[in-house]
PDB file of all heavy atoms in Angstrom:
ATOM      1  N   ALA A 289       1.873   5.138   7.343  1.00 94.00           N
ATOM      2  CA  ALA A 289       2.544   6.423   7.608  1.00 94.00           C
ATOM      3  C   ALA A 289       3.860   6.229   8.351  1.00 94.00           C
ATOM      4  O   ALA A 289       4.885   6.824   7.981  1.00 94.00           O
ATOM      5  CB  ALA A 289       1.609   7.335   8.403  1.00 94.00           C
ATOM      6  N   TYR A 290       3.849   5.406   9.390  1.00 95.00           N
ATOM      7  CA  TYR A 290       5.065   5.209  10.185  1.00 95.00           C
ATOM      8  C   TYR A 290       6.186   4.624   9.339  1.00 95.00           C
ATOM      9  O   TYR A 290       7.333   5.096   9.390  1.00 95.00           O
ATOM     10  CB  TYR A 290       4.765   4.292  11.373  1.00 95.00           C
ATOM     11  CG  TYR A 290       6.008   3.846  12.121  1.00 95.00           C
ATOM     12  CD1 TYR A 290       6.719   4.738  12.916  1.00 95.00           C
ATOM     13  CD2 TYR A 290       6.467   2.529  12.023  1.00 95.00           C
ATOM     14  CE1 TYR A 290       7.863   4.343  13.604  1.00 95.00           C
ATOM     15  CE2 TYR A 290       7.607   2.119  12.704  1.00 95.00           C
ATOM     16  CZ  TYR A 290       8.300   3.030  13.489  1.00 95.00           C
ATOM     17  OH  TYR A 290       9.429   2.624  14.150  1.00 95.00           O
ATOM     18  N   ILE A 293       7.666   7.304   6.910  1.00 96.00           N
ATOM     19  CA  ILE A 293       8.520   8.287   7.577  1.00 96.00           C
ATOM     20  C   ILE A 293       9.842   7.646   7.997  1.00 96.00           C
ATOM     21  O   ILE A 293      10.918   8.253   7.872  1.00 96.00           O
ATOM     22  CB  ILE A 293       7.785   8.888   8.791  1.00 96.00           C
ATOM     23  CG1 ILE A 293       6.510   9.617   8.329  1.00 96.00           C
ATOM     24  CG2 ILE A 293       8.691   9.848   9.548  1.00 96.00           C
ATOM     25  CD1 ILE A 293       5.574   9.994   9.456  1.00 96.00           C
ATOM     26  N   TYR A 325      -3.183  13.966   8.007  1.00 92.00           N
ATOM     27  CA  TYR A 325      -2.657  13.070   9.048  1.00 92.00           C
ATOM     28  C   TYR A 325      -1.155  13.287   9.209  1.00 92.00           C
ATOM     29  O   TYR A 325      -0.661  13.452  10.325  1.00 92.00           O
ATOM     30  CB  TYR A 325      -2.948  11.613   8.683  1.00 92.00           C
ATOM     31  CG  TYR A 325      -2.462  10.635   9.735  1.00 92.00           C
ATOM     32  CD1 TYR A 325      -3.240  10.367  10.857  1.00 92.00           C
ATOM     33  CD2 TYR A 325      -1.228  10.008   9.613  1.00 92.00           C
ATOM     34  CE1 TYR A 325      -2.792   9.487  11.839  1.00 92.00           C
ATOM     35  CE2 TYR A 325      -0.774   9.132  10.588  1.00 92.00           C
ATOM     36  CZ  TYR A 325      -1.566   8.870  11.694  1.00 92.00           C
ATOM     37  OH  TYR A 325      -1.109   8.010  12.661  1.00 92.00           O
ATOM     38  N   SER A 328      -0.374  16.650  10.829  1.00 93.00           N
ATOM     39  CA  SER A 328      -0.715  16.744  12.257  1.00 93.00           C
ATOM     40  C   SER A 328       0.284  15.978  13.119  1.00 93.00           C
ATOM     41  O   SER A 328       0.711  16.482  14.160  1.00 93.00           O
ATOM     42  CB  SER A 328      -2.140  16.236  12.505  1.00 93.00           C
ATOM     43  OG  SER A 328      -2.256  14.868  12.146  1.00 93.00           O
ATOM     44  N   VAL A 329       0.673  14.769  12.697  1.00 93.00           N
ATOM     45  CA  VAL A 329       1.591  13.985  13.535  1.00 93.00           C
ATOM     46  C   VAL A 329       3.022  14.505  13.450  1.00 93.00           C
ATOM     47  O   VAL A 329       3.811  14.319  14.389  1.00 93.00           O
ATOM     48  CB  VAL A 329       1.563  12.482  13.164  1.00 93.00           C
ATOM     49  CG1 VAL A 329       0.188  11.895  13.422  1.00 93.00           C
ATOM     50  CG2 VAL A 329       1.997  12.241  11.742  1.00 93.00           C
ATOM     51  N   LEU A 330       3.358  15.183  12.347  1.00 94.00           N
ATOM     52  CA  LEU A 330       4.713  15.717  12.198  1.00 94.00           C
ATOM     53  C   LEU A 330       4.797  17.197  12.557  1.00 94.00           C
ATOM     54  O   LEU A 330       5.896  17.760  12.613  1.00 94.00           O
ATOM     55  CB  LEU A 330       5.201  15.506  10.759  1.00 94.00           C
ATOM     56  CG  LEU A 330       5.364  14.055  10.296  1.00 94.00           C
ATOM     57  CD1 LEU A 330       5.762  14.008   8.825  1.00 94.00           C
ATOM     58  CD2 LEU A 330       6.395  13.323  11.149  1.00 94.00           C
ATOM     59  N   SER A 465      -5.842  -1.923  17.365  1.00 90.00           N
ATOM     60  CA  SER A 465      -5.996  -0.460  17.404  1.00 90.00           C
ATOM     61  C   SER A 465      -4.655   0.248  17.491  1.00 90.00           C
ATOM     62  O   SER A 465      -4.426   1.264  16.814  1.00 90.00           O
ATOM     63  CB  SER A 465      -6.867  -0.052  18.597  1.00 90.00           C
ATOM     64  OG  SER A 465      -8.171  -0.571  18.461  1.00 90.00           O
ATOM     65  N   THR A 466      -3.751  -0.269  18.331  1.00 88.00           N
ATOM     66  CA  THR A 466      -2.451   0.381  18.472  1.00 88.00           C
ATOM     67  C   THR A 466      -1.616   0.257  17.203  1.00 88.00           C
ATOM     68  O   THR A 466      -0.805   1.136  16.902  1.00 88.00           O
ATOM     69  CB  THR A 466      -1.671  -0.220  19.651  1.00 88.00           C
ATOM     70  OG1 THR A 466      -1.585  -1.649  19.486  1.00 88.00           O
ATOM     71  CG2 THR A 466      -2.360   0.089  20.971  1.00 88.00           C
ATOM     72  N   LEU A 467      -1.817  -0.829  16.451  1.00 89.00           N
ATOM     73  CA  LEU A 467      -1.098  -0.992  15.191  1.00 89.00           C
ATOM     74  C   LEU A 467      -1.646  -0.058  14.122  1.00 89.00           C
ATOM     75  O   LEU A 467      -0.919   0.405  13.242  1.00 89.00           O
ATOM     76  CB  LEU A 467      -1.197  -2.447  14.709  1.00 89.00           C
ATOM     77  CG  LEU A 467      -0.421  -3.483  15.519  1.00 89.00           C
ATOM     78  CD1 LEU A 467      -0.737  -4.885  15.026  1.00 89.00           C
ATOM     79  CD2 LEU A 467       1.081  -3.224  15.440  1.00 89.00           C
ATOM     80  N   LEU A 468      -2.955   0.219  14.187  1.00 89.00           N
ATOM     81  CA  LEU A 468      -3.580   1.096  13.203  1.00 89.00           C
ATOM     82  C   LEU A 468      -3.329   2.575  13.496  1.00 89.00           C
ATOM     83  O   LEU A 468      -3.474   3.416  12.611  1.00 89.00           O
ATOM     84  CB  LEU A 468      -5.097   0.843  13.155  1.00 89.00           C
ATOM     85  CG  LEU A 468      -5.536  -0.564  12.742  1.00 89.00           C
ATOM     86  CD1 LEU A 468      -7.059  -0.661  12.759  1.00 89.00           C
ATOM     87  CD2 LEU A 468      -5.009  -0.917  11.350  1.00 89.00           C
ATOM     88  N   ASN A 469      -2.947   2.890  14.730  1.00 89.00           N
ATOM     89  CA  ASN A 469      -2.710   4.286  15.114  1.00 89.00           C
ATOM     90  C   ASN A 469      -1.274   4.428  15.630  1.00 89.00           C
ATOM     91  O   ASN A 469      -1.011   4.310  16.830  1.00 89.00           O
ATOM     92  CB  ASN A 469      -3.708   4.711  16.188  1.00 89.00           C
ATOM     93  CG  ASN A 469      -3.575   6.188  16.533  1.00 89.00           C
ATOM     94  OD1 ASN A 469      -2.978   6.959  15.778  1.00 89.00           O
ATOM     95  ND2 ASN A 469      -4.113   6.579  17.673  1.00 89.00           N
ATOM     96  N   PRO A 470      -0.323   4.707  14.733  1.00 91.00           N
ATOM     97  CA  PRO A 470       1.098   4.689  15.111  1.00 91.00           C
ATOM     98  C   PRO A 470       1.647   6.027  15.600  1.00 91.00           C
ATOM     99  O   PRO A 470       2.848   6.279  15.475  1.00 91.00           O
ATOM    100  CB  PRO A 470       1.769   4.289  13.793  1.00 91.00           C
ATOM    101  CG  PRO A 470       0.920   4.958  12.751  1.00 91.00           C
ATOM    102  CD  PRO A 470      -0.497   4.939  13.295  1.00 91.00           C
ATOM    103  N   VAL A 471       0.798   6.903  16.122  1.00 92.00           N
ATOM    104  CA  VAL A 471       1.236   8.244  16.506  1.00 92.00           C
ATOM    105  C   VAL A 471       2.407   8.192  17.487  1.00 92.00           C
ATOM    106  O   VAL A 471       3.405   8.907  17.335  1.00 92.00           O
ATOM    107  CB  VAL A 471       0.066   9.049  17.116  1.00 92.00           C
ATOM    108  CG1 VAL A 471       0.570  10.379  17.674  1.00 92.00           C
ATOM    109  CG2 VAL A 471      -1.004   9.297  16.069  1.00 92.00           C
ATOM    110  N   LYS A 472       2.297   7.334  18.506  1.00 92.00           N
ATOM    111  CA  LYS A 472       3.354   7.261  19.512  1.00 92.00           C
ATOM    112  C   LYS A 472       4.670   6.800  18.887  1.00 92.00           C
ATOM    113  O   LYS A 472       5.739   7.354  19.196  1.00 92.00           O
ATOM    114  CB  LYS A 472       2.931   6.288  20.623  1.00 92.00           C
ATOM    115  CG  LYS A 472       3.881   6.266  21.815  1.00 92.00           C
ATOM    116  CD  LYS A 472       3.890   7.613  22.538  1.00 92.00           C
ATOM    117  CE  LYS A 472       4.777   7.563  23.774  1.00 92.00           C
ATOM    118  NZ  LYS A 472       4.868   8.887  24.431  1.00 92.00           N
ATOM    119  N   ARG A 473       4.600   5.812  17.987  1.00 93.00           N
ATOM    120  CA  ARG A 473       5.827   5.341  17.343  1.00 93.00           C
ATOM    121  C   ARG A 473       6.440   6.421  16.457  1.00 93.00           C
ATOM    122  O   ARG A 473       7.668   6.557  16.382  1.00 93.00           O
ATOM    123  CB  ARG A 473       5.519   4.084  16.511  1.00 93.00           C
ATOM    124  CG  ARG A 473       5.383   2.814  17.351  1.00 93.00           C
ATOM    125  CD  ARG A 473       5.027   1.630  16.495  1.00 93.00           C
ATOM    126  NE  ARG A 473       3.678   1.735  15.969  1.00 93.00           N
ATOM    127  CZ  ARG A 473       3.235   1.122  14.872  1.00 93.00           C
ATOM    128  NH1 ARG A 473       4.066   0.374  14.159  1.00 93.00           N
ATOM    129  NH2 ARG A 473       1.993   1.240  14.482  1.00 93.00           N
ATOM    130  N   ILE A 474       5.592   7.200  15.771  1.00 94.00           N
ATOM    131  CA  ILE A 474       6.096   8.290  14.931  1.00 94.00           C
ATOM    132  C   ILE A 474       6.775   9.349  15.794  1.00 94.00           C
ATOM    133  O   ILE A 474       7.847   9.860  15.450  1.00 94.00           O
ATOM    134  CB  ILE A 474       4.957   8.903  14.097  1.00 94.00           C
ATOM    135  CG1 ILE A 474       4.445   7.897  13.052  1.00 94.00           C
ATOM    136  CG2 ILE A 474       5.416  10.184  13.397  1.00 94.00           C
ATOM    137  CD1 ILE A 474       3.229   8.356  12.279  1.00 94.00           C
ATOM    138  N   GLN A 475       6.161   9.681  16.930  1.00 93.00           N
ATOM    139  CA  GLN A 475       6.754  10.679  17.835  1.00 93.00           C
ATOM    140  C   GLN A 475       8.102  10.208  18.365  1.00 93.00           C
ATOM    141  O   GLN A 475       9.061  10.998  18.443  1.00 93.00           O
ATOM    142  CB  GLN A 475       5.784  10.964  18.979  1.00 93.00           C
ATOM    143  CG  GLN A 475       4.544  11.729  18.550  1.00 93.00           C
ATOM    144  CD  GLN A 475       3.531  11.875  19.665  1.00 93.00           C
ATOM    145  OE1 GLN A 475       3.597  11.173  20.679  1.00 93.00           O
ATOM    146  NE2 GLN A 475       2.580  12.784  19.483  1.00 93.00           N
ATOM    147  N   ASN A 476       8.198   8.928  18.734  1.00 93.00           N
ATOM    148  CA  ASN A 476       9.473   8.381  19.210  1.00 93.00           C
ATOM    149  C   ASN A 476      10.533   8.401  18.111  1.00 93.00           C
ATOM    150  O   ASN A 476      11.705   8.700  18.362  1.00 93.00           O
ATOM    151  CB  ASN A 476       9.275   6.956  19.718  1.00 93.00           C
ATOM    152  CG  ASN A 476       8.444   6.889  20.986  1.00 93.00           C
ATOM    153  OD1 ASN A 476       8.338   7.873  21.712  1.00 93.00           O
ATOM    154  ND2 ASN A 476       7.845   5.742  21.257  1.00 93.00           N
ATOM    155  N   LEU A 477      10.097   8.085  16.891  1.00 93.00           N
ATOM    156  CA  LEU A 477      11.008   8.109  15.755  1.00 93.00           C
ATOM    157  C   LEU A 477      11.529   9.513  15.497  1.00 93.00           C
ATOM    158  O   LEU A 477      12.723   9.721  15.243  1.00 93.00           O
ATOM    159  CB  LEU A 477      10.302   7.567  14.506  1.00 93.00           C
ATOM    160  CG  LEU A 477      11.080   7.616  13.180  1.00 93.00           C
ATOM    161  CD1 LEU A 477      12.297   6.703  13.250  1.00 93.00           C
ATOM    162  CD2 LEU A 477      10.178   7.225  12.011  1.00 93.00           C
ATOM    163  N   MET A 478      10.645  10.512  15.576  1.00 93.00           N
ATOM    164  CA  MET A 478      11.043  11.896  15.352  1.00 93.00           C
ATOM    165  C   MET A 478      12.006  12.379  16.430  1.00 93.00           C
ATOM    166  O   MET A 478      12.972  13.099  16.140  1.00 93.00           O
ATOM    167  CB  MET A 478       9.804  12.806  15.312  1.00 93.00           C
ATOM    168  CG  MET A 478       8.946  12.638  14.062  1.00 93.00           C
ATOM    169  SD  MET A 478       9.839  13.085  12.546  1.00 93.00           S
ATOM    170  CE  MET A 478      10.445  11.485  12.024  1.00 93.00           C
TER     171      MET A 478
END
Side-chain angles (χ1 to χ4, degrees):
Y290 170 72
I293 298 168
Y325 181 83
S328 62
V329 297
L330 296 176
S465 297
T466 54
L467 290 174
L468 298 179
N469 185 17
V471 173
K472 187 65 177 176
R473 282 178 291 156
I474 293 174
Q475 290 174 344
N476 292 338
L477 176 65
M478 289 297 95

